[in-house]
Amino acid sequence: MCSISGICNFEKKPPTQIVELMTKSLSHRGPDDIGFFQNENISLGHNRLSIIDLRNSKQPMKDNENKNIIIFNGEIYNFKELKFNLESLGHKFETEGDTEVILKSYNQWGVECLKKFEGMFVFCIWDDKKKQLFIGRDKFGEKPLFYYFSKKYGFIFSSEIRSFLQIKEIKDELRLNTDSINQYLSLNYLINNKTFFNEIKSLSPASYIILNSKNFKKEILIQKYWFLEEYFKKKTKDNFDQASEKIDFLLEKSIKQKMFSDVENGVFLSGGIDSSAISLKLKKIDNHVMSAHNILFKEKKFNESADAKIIANYLNIDLNHYE
């Protein structure tokens, strides 16, 4: 988990101190490193939790060929395949991580690069040639991104709403969204781009923003690049055994794709079907000493720690409990 924060303004230079304040308020998301970048139109901040390429891949990262800048939160699971493809197209890399792969993918395919990424992510790229900001979020919205347009500062974005509240002028402008409260009390979550404030929006999953001098101060245009409903139009005719085999194959492929970190692999284990199946596969794929982690509750009807313990004992793995 990392954090990204920034301001974009095409009328006056964004204040560095505001982004520094926002970024430092999110240090809990990335304790390993902090970085900043500024030019006439943007001010960017990044907190890093190092998972891949621990010594390199610092952010904000600049592409020395075209001066594009990226800040990124998340992981691109298929970055090694993409890197191989990009190298065959003539791109050269200076790091071993996935951040540079996003930069080079944007250089090669533009906004279409979003369709090639398998992972959980939100990133911001400053295109130095086009003088525009490009922000993209993953297909299912696993990584958060909030934005707000301030008359004083410009377009502001961040991984958490709390960073907006560090700025007195912005905090004073915010008004509680009562519709969001009603929605949350009914569903236990918010839908679409709602937040608990009228002025702050959430970038929807599978969507991106492009901001430049032409559309600055106009209604922010949100584009979708992927549609889940497309996957329900064609029904398969698999029988039970075929479907079981396919799920088994896809689950194993998905887990293998995520086992590339430079730190120890672990698993959240609730004791339910999903986390138990993942734990079983992870143990079979890489039979090393892996760790499992379980969140337990004082309330009996919410507490599944006993189920998690059964699975952990079966797999002979250590289980850490957190209340």
Side-chain angles (χ1 to χ4, degrees), residues 141-177:
E142 290 186 69
K143 293 299 179 182
L145 194 283
F146 303 96
Y147 63 90
Y148 167 69
F149 196 93
S150 165
K151 292 179 180 178
K152 183 174 181 179
Y153 299 115
F155 178 81
I156 305 179
F157 62 92
S158 180
S159 295
E160 287 190 27
I161 288 177
R162 76 165 67 192
S163 62
F164 295 106
L165 305 180
Q166 308 304 309
I167 309 162
K168 186 182 183 305
E169 297 93 328
I170 292 178
K171 187 176 181 180
D172 291 343
E173 291 176 2
L174 299 180
R175 297 293 177 267
L176 201 62
N177 188 327

Side-chain angles (χ1 to χ4, degrees), residues 10 14 61 63 66-67 90 102 106-107 112-113 130-131 140 159 176 180 213 233 262 265 287 299 302 311 313 319:
F10 292 93
M61 180 182 287
D63 189 321
N66 52 31
K67 310 305 180 188
I102 299 175
Y106 175 73
N107 296 349
E112 291 294 307
C113 68
K130 294 181 179 179
K131 302 299 178 188
F140 294 102
S159 295
L176 201 62
S180 292
S213 59
K233 289 181 178 178
D262 295 323
N265 286 304
N287 191 23
E299 298 86 356
F302 294 119
I311 301 298
N313 289 340
L319 180 63

Side-chain angles (χ1 to χ4, degrees), residues 9 46-48 85 89 107 109 121 163 167 181 212 214 223 313:
N9 196 321
H46 185 268
N47 288 304
R48 186 185 184 201
N85 189 6
L89 293 170
N107 296 349
W109 297 296
F121 60 83
S163 62
I167 309 162
I181 294 175
N212 52 43
K214 294 179 182 178
Q223 301 276 3
N313 289 340

Side-chain angles (χ1 to χ4, degrees), residues 266-288:
V267 62
F268 279 115
L269 179 58
S270 70
I273 293 174
D274 298 347
S275 64
S276 299
I278 290 170
S279 300
L280 180 62
K281 279 292 181 187
L282 188 60
K283 182 73 174 179
K284 284 183 176 179
I285 292 167
D286 190 4
N287 191 23
H288 68 301

Side-chain angles (χ1 to χ4, degrees), residues 91-212:
H91 293 273
K92 299 187 184 301
F93 289 83
E94 298 178 9
T95 67
E96 298 300 321
D98 50 354
T99 306
E100 190 177 10
V101 171
I102 299 175
L103 261 183
K104 301 294 185 183
S105 296
Y106 175 73
N107 296 349
Q108 181 66 36
W109 297 296
V111 297
E112 291 294 307
C113 68
L114 284 165
K115 296 177 181 178
K116 297 183 178 290
F117 298 144
E118 295 295 336
M120 51 177 184
F121 60 83
V122 63
F123 63 79
C124 164
I125 293 177
W126 171 254
D127 189 317
D128 196 62
K129 184 178 179 180
K130 294 181 179 179
K131 302 299 178 188
Q132 70 179 20
L133 196 71
F134 170 44
I135 300 177
R137 193 178 181 197
D138 63 71
K139 294 173 182 175
F140 294 102
E142 290 186 69
K143 293 299 179 182
L145 194 283
F146 303 96
Y147 63 90
Y148 167 69
F149 196 93
S150 165
K151 292 179 180 178
K152 183 174 181 179
Y153 299 115
F155 178 81
I156 305 179
F157 62 92
S158 180
S159 295
E160 287 190 27
I161 288 177
R162 76 165 67 192
S163 62
F164 295 106
L165 305 180
Q166 308 304 309
I167 309 162
K168 186 182 183 305
E169 297 93 328
I170 292 178
K171 187 176 181 180
D172 291 343
E173 291 176 2
L174 299 180
R175 297 293 177 267
L176 201 62
N177 188 327
T178 53
D179 287 341
S180 292
I181 294 175
N182 289 335
Q183 190 179 95
Y184 185 79
L185 292 175
S186 301
L187 305 175
N188 286 331
Y189 58 88
L190 298 179
I191 60 175
N192 298 327
N193 65 347
K194 282 183 178 290
T195 72
F196 289 110
F197 297 100
N198 288 317
E199 298 80 5
I200 298 176
K201 305 298 181 184
S202 170
L203 180 60
S204 298
S207 300
Y208 67 90
I209 294 172
I210 290 182
L211 196 66
N212 52 43

Side-chain angles (χ1 to χ4, degrees), residues 63-91:
D63 189 321
N64 292 323
E65 290 182 15
N66 52 31
K67 310 305 180 188
N68 289 348
I69 299 287
I70 186 173
I71 48 176
F72 160 55
N73 170 29
E75 288 183 285
I76 306 299
Y77 302 136
N78 62 333
F79 82 97
K80 290 185 178 180
E81 301 99 283
L82 287 172
K83 184 177 182 179
F84 180 80
N85 189 6
L86 289 162
E87 285 176 331
S88 69
L89 293 170
H91 293 273

